[in-house]
Amino acid sequence: DQQVKQNSPSLSVQEGRISILNCDYTNSMFDYFLWYKKYPAEGPTFLISISSIKDKNEDGRFTVFLNKSAKHLSLHIVPSQPGDSAVYFCAAIPHEVSGKLIFGQGTTLQVKP
Amino acid sequence: EPEVTQTPSHQVTQMGQEVILRCVPISNHLYFYWYRQILGQKVEFLVSFYNNEISEKSEIFDDQFSVERPDGSNFTLKIRSTKLEDSAMYFCASKRVPAENIQYFGAGTRLSVL
């Protein structure tokens, strides 16, 4: 099942620079997209989301962009901080009653001081 | 801040044994989920539960699995006869109402089947 794909297993950036995490999906019926952050020994923590009717959502240092024609979304973190080092999961919600999340494989972000 | 609580944090069991993983969702939440993550793989949906019944289950959620909300606070996942391949992190999640999209996750239970 490859409906949501994060093709970069890892990303390393310098503190203060921009981090860009990418996510591709195959199902055009996805209604809603979310980014979760996960630290070791913790569960995924909600970060930011976007509805399929929008192309951008911003919350502080975090911005998510959605390109529906390309079935692609990205998470921008500006400026990156060492505390942002974590695994980032992209997730999608299909248009179904249960609201289940379909996750990508995750990208491990390391922000170097 | 309210949170989803899962116990135990680590469960070790012998193959063929029954295990019960426990979750206390956020108190005013009505929709509950179980997910699992096998080491090195994606987080996968197992089951969703609303209004005291399963609303959706995945292919993984076969007859060996069951869920229950035995009282007003707990939400449990039972694996009747564990297999080696059931070894994974199991995450419980909840959300307030069906129309809401954001799910809140617990820290997970690491299940090790020997």
mmCIF file with all atom_site columns, all heavy atoms in Angstrom, chain A residues 70-88:
data_model
loop_
_atom_site.group_PDB
_atom_site.id
_atom_site.type_symbol
_atom_site.label_atom_id
_atom_site.label_alt_id
_atom_site.label_comp_id
_atom_site.label_asym_id
_atom_site.label_entity_id
_atom_site.label_seq_id
_atom_site.pdbx_PDB_ins_code
_atom_site.Cartn_x
_atom_site.Cartn_y
_atom_site.Cartn_z
_atom_site.occupancy
_atom_site.B_iso_or_equiv
_atom_site.pdbx_formal_charge
_atom_site.auth_seq_id
_atom_site.auth_comp_id
_atom_site.auth_asym_id
_atom_site.auth_atom_id
_atom_site.pdbx_PDB_model_num
ATOM 1   N N   . ALA A 1 70 ? -0.417 17.979 -8.747 1.00 0.00 ? 70 ALA A N   1
ATOM 2   C CA  . ALA A 1 70 ? 0.765  17.124 -8.675 1.00 0.00 ? 70 ALA A CA  1
ATOM 3   C C   . ALA A 1 70 ? 0.640  16.056 -7.604 1.00 0.00 ? 70 ALA A C   1
ATOM 4   O O   . ALA A 1 70 ? 1.541  15.209 -7.468 1.00 0.00 ? 70 ALA A O   1
ATOM 5   C CB  . ALA A 1 70 ? 2.014  17.969 -8.409 1.00 0.00 ? 70 ALA A CB  1
ATOM 6   N N   . LYS A 1 71 ? -0.439 16.096 -6.837 1.00 0.00 ? 71 LYS A N   1
ATOM 7   C CA  . LYS A 1 71 ? -0.640 15.183 -5.693 1.00 0.00 ? 71 LYS A CA  1
ATOM 8   C C   . LYS A 1 71 ? 0.592  15.213 -4.798 1.00 0.00 ? 71 LYS A C   1
ATOM 9   O O   . LYS A 1 71 ? 1.202  14.181 -4.487 1.00 0.00 ? 71 LYS A O   1
ATOM 10  C CB  . LYS A 1 71 ? -0.945 13.765 -6.164 1.00 0.00 ? 71 LYS A CB  1
ATOM 11  C CG  . LYS A 1 71 ? -2.260 13.619 -6.933 1.00 0.00 ? 71 LYS A CG  1
ATOM 12  C CD  . LYS A 1 71 ? -2.647 12.159 -7.080 1.00 0.00 ? 71 LYS A CD  1
ATOM 13  C CE  . LYS A 1 71 ? -3.907 11.981 -7.882 1.00 0.00 ? 71 LYS A CE  1
ATOM 14  N NZ  . LYS A 1 71 ? -3.733 12.294 -9.314 1.00 0.00 ? 71 LYS A NZ  1
ATOM 15  N N   . HIS A 1 72 ? 0.932  16.412 -4.387 1.00 0.00 ? 72 HIS A N   1
ATOM 16  C CA  . HIS A 1 72 ? 2.156  16.624 -3.625 1.00 0.00 ? 72 HIS A CA  1
ATOM 17  C C   . HIS A 1 72 ? 1.905  17.648 -2.532 1.00 0.00 ? 72 HIS A C   1
ATOM 18  O O   . HIS A 1 72 ? 1.226  18.655 -2.752 1.00 0.00 ? 72 HIS A O   1
ATOM 19  C CB  . HIS A 1 72 ? 3.257  17.131 -4.571 1.00 0.00 ? 72 HIS A CB  1
ATOM 20  C CG  . HIS A 1 72 ? 4.546  17.451 -3.872 1.00 0.00 ? 72 HIS A CG  1
ATOM 21  N ND1 . HIS A 1 72 ? 5.504  16.505 -3.571 1.00 0.00 ? 72 HIS A ND1 1
ATOM 22  C CD2 . HIS A 1 72 ? 5.028  18.633 -3.399 1.00 0.00 ? 72 HIS A CD2 1
ATOM 23  C CE1 . HIS A 1 72 ? 6.504  17.082 -2.951 1.00 0.00 ? 72 HIS A CE1 1
ATOM 24  N NE2 . HIS A 1 72 ? 6.252  18.368 -2.835 1.00 0.00 ? 72 HIS A NE2 1
ATOM 25  N N   . LEU A 1 73 ? 2.438  17.366 -1.351 1.00 0.00 ? 73 LEU A N   1
ATOM 26  C CA  . LEU A 1 73 ? 2.449  18.380 -0.318 1.00 0.00 ? 73 LEU A CA  1
ATOM 27  C C   . LEU A 1 73 ? 3.818  18.461 0.329  1.00 0.00 ? 73 LEU A C   1
ATOM 28  O O   . LEU A 1 73 ? 4.614  17.516 0.243  1.00 0.00 ? 73 LEU A O   1
ATOM 29  C CB  . LEU A 1 73 ? 1.345  18.179 0.728  1.00 0.00 ? 73 LEU A CB  1
ATOM 30  C CG  . LEU A 1 73 ? 1.310  16.965 1.635  1.00 0.00 ? 73 LEU A CG  1
ATOM 31  C CD1 . LEU A 1 73 ? 0.533  17.309 2.889  1.00 0.00 ? 73 LEU A CD1 1
ATOM 32  C CD2 . LEU A 1 73 ? 0.612  15.825 0.947  1.00 0.00 ? 73 LEU A CD2 1
ATOM 33  N N   . SER A 1 74 ? 4.073  19.618 0.893  1.00 0.00 ? 74 SER A N   1
ATOM 34  C CA  . SER A 1 74 ? 5.367  19.815 1.532  1.00 0.00 ? 74 SER A CA  1
ATOM 35  C C   . SER A 1 74 ? 5.185  20.592 2.831  1.00 0.00 ? 74 SER A C   1
ATOM 36  O O   . SER A 1 74 ? 4.240  21.380 2.973  1.00 0.00 ? 74 SER A O   1
ATOM 37  C CB  . SER A 1 74 ? 6.336  20.552 0.607  1.00 0.00 ? 74 SER A CB  1
ATOM 38  O OG  . SER A 1 74 ? 5.835  21.813 0.249  1.00 0.00 ? 74 SER A OG  1
ATOM 39  N N   . LEU A 1 75 ? 6.080  20.334 3.741  1.00 0.00 ? 75 LEU A N   1
ATOM 40  C CA  . LEU A 1 75 ? 6.121  21.041 5.027  1.00 0.00 ? 75 LEU A CA  1
ATOM 41  C C   . LEU A 1 75 ? 7.402  21.856 5.070  1.00 0.00 ? 75 LEU A C   1
ATOM 42  O O   . LEU A 1 75 ? 8.494  21.312 4.873  1.00 0.00 ? 75 LEU A O   1
ATOM 43  C CB  . LEU A 1 75 ? 6.108  20.032 6.175  1.00 0.00 ? 75 LEU A CB  1
ATOM 44  C CG  . LEU A 1 75 ? 6.296  20.603 7.586  1.00 0.00 ? 75 LEU A CG  1
ATOM 45  C CD1 . LEU A 1 75 ? 5.099  21.466 7.981  1.00 0.00 ? 75 LEU A CD1 1
ATOM 46  C CD2 . LEU A 1 75 ? 6.511  19.487 8.603  1.00 0.00 ? 75 LEU A CD2 1
ATOM 47  N N   . HIS A 1 76 ? 7.247  23.157 5.297  1.00 0.00 ? 76 HIS A N   1
ATOM 48  C CA  . HIS A 1 76 ? 8.390  24.044 5.411  1.00 0.00 ? 76 HIS A CA  1
ATOM 49  C C   . HIS A 1 76 ? 8.538  24.471 6.864  1.00 0.00 ? 76 HIS A C   1
ATOM 50  O O   . HIS A 1 76 ? 7.541  24.897 7.490  1.00 0.00 ? 76 HIS A O   1
ATOM 51  C CB  . HIS A 1 76 ? 8.206  25.282 4.533  1.00 0.00 ? 76 HIS A CB  1
ATOM 52  C CG  . HIS A 1 76 ? 8.239  24.982 3.068  1.00 0.00 ? 76 HIS A CG  1
ATOM 53  N ND1 . HIS A 1 76 ? 8.716  25.875 2.144  1.00 0.00 ? 76 HIS A ND1 1
ATOM 54  C CD2 . HIS A 1 76 ? 7.858  23.886 2.365  1.00 0.00 ? 76 HIS A CD2 1
ATOM 55  C CE1 . HIS A 1 76 ? 8.631  25.350 0.931  1.00 0.00 ? 76 HIS A CE1 1
ATOM 56  N NE2 . HIS A 1 76 ? 8.118  24.141 1.040  1.00 0.00 ? 76 HIS A NE2 1
ATOM 57  N N   . ILE A 1 77 ? 9.751  24.386 7.360  1.00 0.00 ? 77 ILE A N   1
ATOM 58  C CA  . ILE A 1 77 ? 10.040 24.836 8.721  1.00 0.00 ? 77 ILE A CA  1
ATOM 59  C C   . ILE A 1 77 ? 11.096 25.930 8.617  1.00 0.00 ? 77 ILE A C   1
ATOM 60  O O   . ILE A 1 77 ? 12.211 25.687 8.141  1.00 0.00 ? 77 ILE A O   1
ATOM 61  C CB  . ILE A 1 77 ? 10.564 23.680 9.610  1.00 0.00 ? 77 ILE A CB  1
ATOM 62  C CG1 . ILE A 1 77 ? 9.604  22.484 9.580  1.00 0.00 ? 77 ILE A CG1 1
ATOM 63  C CG2 . ILE A 1 77 ? 10.744 24.169 11.055 1.00 0.00 ? 77 ILE A CG2 1
ATOM 64  C CD1 . ILE A 1 77 ? 10.132 21.249 10.301 1.00 0.00 ? 77 ILE A CD1 1
ATOM 65  N N   . VAL A 1 78 ? 10.700 27.155 9.023  1.00 0.00 ? 78 VAL A N   1
ATOM 66  C CA  . VAL A 1 78 ? 11.628 28.279 8.927  1.00 0.00 ? 78 VAL A CA  1
ATOM 67  C C   . VAL A 1 78 ? 11.490 29.174 10.157 1.00 0.00 ? 78 VAL A C   1
ATOM 68  O O   . VAL A 1 78 ? 10.384 29.647 10.422 1.00 0.00 ? 78 VAL A O   1
ATOM 69  C CB  . VAL A 1 78 ? 11.334 29.129 7.664  1.00 0.00 ? 78 VAL A CB  1
ATOM 70  C CG1 . VAL A 1 78 ? 12.320 30.290 7.564  1.00 0.00 ? 78 VAL A CG1 1
ATOM 71  C CG2 . VAL A 1 78 ? 11.387 28.290 6.415  1.00 0.00 ? 78 VAL A CG2 1
ATOM 72  N N   . PRO A 1 79 ? 12.569 29.477 10.879 1.00 0.00 ? 79 PRO A N   1
ATOM 73  C CA  . PRO A 1 79 ? 13.884 28.838 10.762 1.00 0.00 ? 79 PRO A CA  1
ATOM 74  C C   . PRO A 1 79 ? 13.900 27.511 11.512 1.00 0.00 ? 79 PRO A C   1
ATOM 75  O O   . PRO A 1 79 ? 13.185 27.346 12.506 1.00 0.00 ? 79 PRO A O   1
ATOM 76  C CB  . PRO A 1 79 ? 14.791 29.863 11.459 1.00 0.00 ? 79 PRO A CB  1
ATOM 77  C CG  . PRO A 1 79 ? 13.897 30.495 12.499 1.00 0.00 ? 79 PRO A CG  1
ATOM 78  C CD  . PRO A 1 79 ? 12.515 30.519 11.898 1.00 0.00 ? 79 PRO A CD  1
ATOM 79  N N   . SER A 1 80 ? 14.690 26.595 11.071 1.00 0.00 ? 80 SER A N   1
ATOM 80  C CA  . SER A 1 80 ? 14.799 25.302 11.745 1.00 0.00 ? 80 SER A CA  1
ATOM 81  C C   . SER A 1 80 ? 15.576 25.453 13.055 1.00 0.00 ? 80 SER A C   1
ATOM 82  O O   . SER A 1 80 ? 16.526 26.244 13.148 1.00 0.00 ? 80 SER A O   1
ATOM 83  C CB  . SER A 1 80 ? 15.527 24.291 10.845 1.00 0.00 ? 80 SER A CB  1
ATOM 84  O OG  . SER A 1 80 ? 14.851 24.155 9.618  1.00 0.00 ? 80 SER A OG  1
ATOM 85  N N   . GLN A 1 81 ? 15.157 24.681 14.046 1.00 0.00 ? 81 GLN A N   1
ATOM 86  C CA  . GLN A 1 81 ? 15.798 24.707 15.357 1.00 0.00 ? 81 GLN A CA  1
ATOM 87  C C   . GLN A 1 81 ? 16.202 23.284 15.747 1.00 0.00 ? 81 GLN A C   1
ATOM 88  O O   . GLN A 1 81 ? 15.550 22.319 15.323 1.00 0.00 ? 81 GLN A O   1
ATOM 89  C CB  . GLN A 1 81 ? 14.831 25.260 16.412 1.00 0.00 ? 81 GLN A CB  1
ATOM 90  C CG  . GLN A 1 81 ? 14.386 26.685 16.147 1.00 0.00 ? 81 GLN A CG  1
ATOM 91  C CD  . GLN A 1 81 ? 13.287 27.144 17.091 1.00 0.00 ? 81 GLN A CD  1
ATOM 92  O OE1 . GLN A 1 81 ? 12.761 26.370 17.895 1.00 0.00 ? 81 GLN A OE1 1
ATOM 93  N NE2 . GLN A 1 81 ? 12.927 28.419 16.999 1.00 0.00 ? 81 GLN A NE2 1
ATOM 94  N N   . PRO A 1 82 ? 17.222 23.127 16.570 1.00 0.00 ? 82 PRO A N   1
ATOM 95  C CA  . PRO A 1 82 ? 17.631 21.764 16.969 1.00 0.00 ? 82 PRO A CA  1
ATOM 96  C C   . PRO A 1 82 ? 16.493 20.946 17.586 1.00 0.00 ? 82 PRO A C   1
ATOM 97  O O   . PRO A 1 82 ? 16.424 19.736 17.389 1.00 0.00 ? 82 PRO A O   1
ATOM 98  C CB  . PRO A 1 82 ? 18.749 22.036 17.992 1.00 0.00 ? 82 PRO A CB  1
ATOM 99  C CG  . PRO A 1 82 ? 19.345 23.338 17.554 1.00 0.00 ? 82 PRO A CG  1
ATOM 100 C CD  . PRO A 1 82 ? 18.158 24.147 17.040 1.00 0.00 ? 82 PRO A CD  1
ATOM 101 N N   . GLY A 1 83 ? 15.583 21.606 18.298 1.00 0.00 ? 83 GLY A N   1
ATOM 102 C CA  . GLY A 1 83 ? 14.439 20.909 18.885 1.00 0.00 ? 83 GLY A CA  1
ATOM 103 C C   . GLY A 1 83 ? 13.463 20.376 17.864 1.00 0.00 ? 83 GLY A C   1
ATOM 104 O O   . GLY A 1 83 ? 12.571 19.583 18.208 1.00 0.00 ? 83 GLY A O   1
ATOM 105 N N   . ASP A 1 84 ? 13.611 20.778 16.603 1.00 0.00 ? 84 ASP A N   1
ATOM 106 C CA  . ASP A 1 84 ? 12.760 20.243 15.536 1.00 0.00 ? 84 ASP A CA  1
ATOM 107 C C   . ASP A 1 84 ? 13.231 18.862 15.083 1.00 0.00 ? 84 ASP A C   1
ATOM 108 O O   . ASP A 1 84 ? 12.542 18.204 14.304 1.00 0.00 ? 84 ASP A O   1
ATOM 109 C CB  . ASP A 1 84 ? 12.771 21.183 14.325 1.00 0.00 ? 84 ASP A CB  1
ATOM 110 C CG  . ASP A 1 84 ? 12.163 22.544 14.626 1.00 0.00 ? 84 ASP A CG  1
ATOM 111 O OD1 . ASP A 1 84 ? 11.251 22.621 15.474 1.00 0.00 ? 84 ASP A OD1 1
ATOM 112 O OD2 . ASP A 1 84 ? 12.611 23.538 14.002 1.00 0.00 ? 84 ASP A OD2 1
ATOM 113 N N   . SER A 1 85 ? 14.384 18.427 15.533 1.00 0.00 ? 85 SER A N   1
ATOM 114 C CA  . SER A 1 85 ? 14.904 17.119 15.145 1.00 0.00 ? 85 SER A CA  1
ATOM 115 C C   . SER A 1 85 ? 13.952 16.027 15.631 1.00 0.00 ? 85 SER A C   1
ATOM 116 O O   . SER A 1 85 ? 13.720 15.876 16.837 1.00 0.00 ? 85 SER A O   1
ATOM 117 C CB  . SER A 1 85 ? 16.304 16.902 15.743 1.00 0.00 ? 85 SER A CB  1
ATOM 118 O OG  . SER A 1 85 ? 17.207 17.874 15.248 1.00 0.00 ? 85 SER A OG  1
ATOM 119 N N   . ALA A 1 86 ? 13.400 15.282 14.690 1.00 0.00 ? 86 ALA A N   1
ATOM 120 C CA  . ALA A 1 86 ? 12.368 14.281 14.992 1.00 0.00 ? 86 ALA A CA  1
ATOM 121 C C   . ALA A 1 86 ? 12.042 13.545 13.695 1.00 0.00 ? 86 ALA A C   1
ATOM 122 O O   . ALA A 1 86 ? 12.571 13.869 12.635 1.00 0.00 ? 86 ALA A O   1
ATOM 123 C CB  . ALA A 1 86 ? 11.105 14.945 15.544 1.00 0.00 ? 86 ALA A CB  1
ATOM 124 N N   . VAL A 1 87 ? 11.140 12.582 13.797 1.00 0.00 ? 87 VAL A N   1
ATOM 125 C CA  . VAL A 1 87 ? 10.587 11.948 12.599 1.00 0.00 ? 87 VAL A CA  1
ATOM 126 C C   . VAL A 1 87 ? 9.282  12.657 12.252 1.00 0.00 ? 87 VAL A C   1
ATOM 127 O O   . VAL A 1 87 ? 8.435  12.871 13.124 1.00 0.00 ? 87 VAL A O   1
ATOM 128 C CB  . VAL A 1 87 ? 10.326 10.441 12.824 1.00 0.00 ? 87 VAL A CB  1
ATOM 129 C CG1 . VAL A 1 87 ? 9.756  9.816  11.553 1.00 0.00 ? 87 VAL A CG1 1
ATOM 130 C CG2 . VAL A 1 87 ? 11.614 9.727  13.225 1.00 0.00 ? 87 VAL A CG2 1
ATOM 131 N N   . TYR A 1 88 ? 9.134  13.030 10.994 1.00 0.00 ? 88 TYR A N   1
ATOM 132 C CA  . TYR A 1 88 ? 7.943  13.731 10.528 1.00 0.00 ? 88 TYR A CA  1
ATOM 133 C C   . TYR A 1 88 ? 7.143  12.806 9.617  1.00 0.00 ? 88 TYR A C   1
ATOM 134 O O   . TYR A 1 88 ? 7.670  12.268 8.641  1.00 0.00 ? 88 TYR A O   1
ATOM 135 C CB  . TYR A 1 88 ? 8.319  15.010 9.786  1.00 0.00 ? 88 TYR A CB  1
ATOM 136 C CG  . TYR A 1 88 ? 8.830  16.062 10.736 1.00 0.00 ? 88 TYR A CG  1
ATOM 137 C CD1 . TYR A 1 88 ? 10.133 16.009 11.230 1.00 0.00 ? 88 TYR A CD1 1
ATOM 138 C CD2 . TYR A 1 88 ? 8.007  17.093 11.170 1.00 0.00 ? 88 TYR A CD2 1
ATOM 139 C CE1 . TYR A 1 88 ? 10.598 16.964 12.127 1.00 0.00 ? 88 TYR A CE1 1
ATOM 140 C CE2 . TYR A 1 88 ? 8.471  18.053 12.060 1.00 0.00 ? 88 TYR A CE2 1
ATOM 141 C CZ  . TYR A 1 88 ? 9.762  17.969 12.541 1.00 0.00 ? 88 TYR A CZ  1
ATOM 142 O OH  . TYR A 1 88 ? 10.215 18.913 13.436 1.00 0.00 ? 88 TYR A OH  1
#
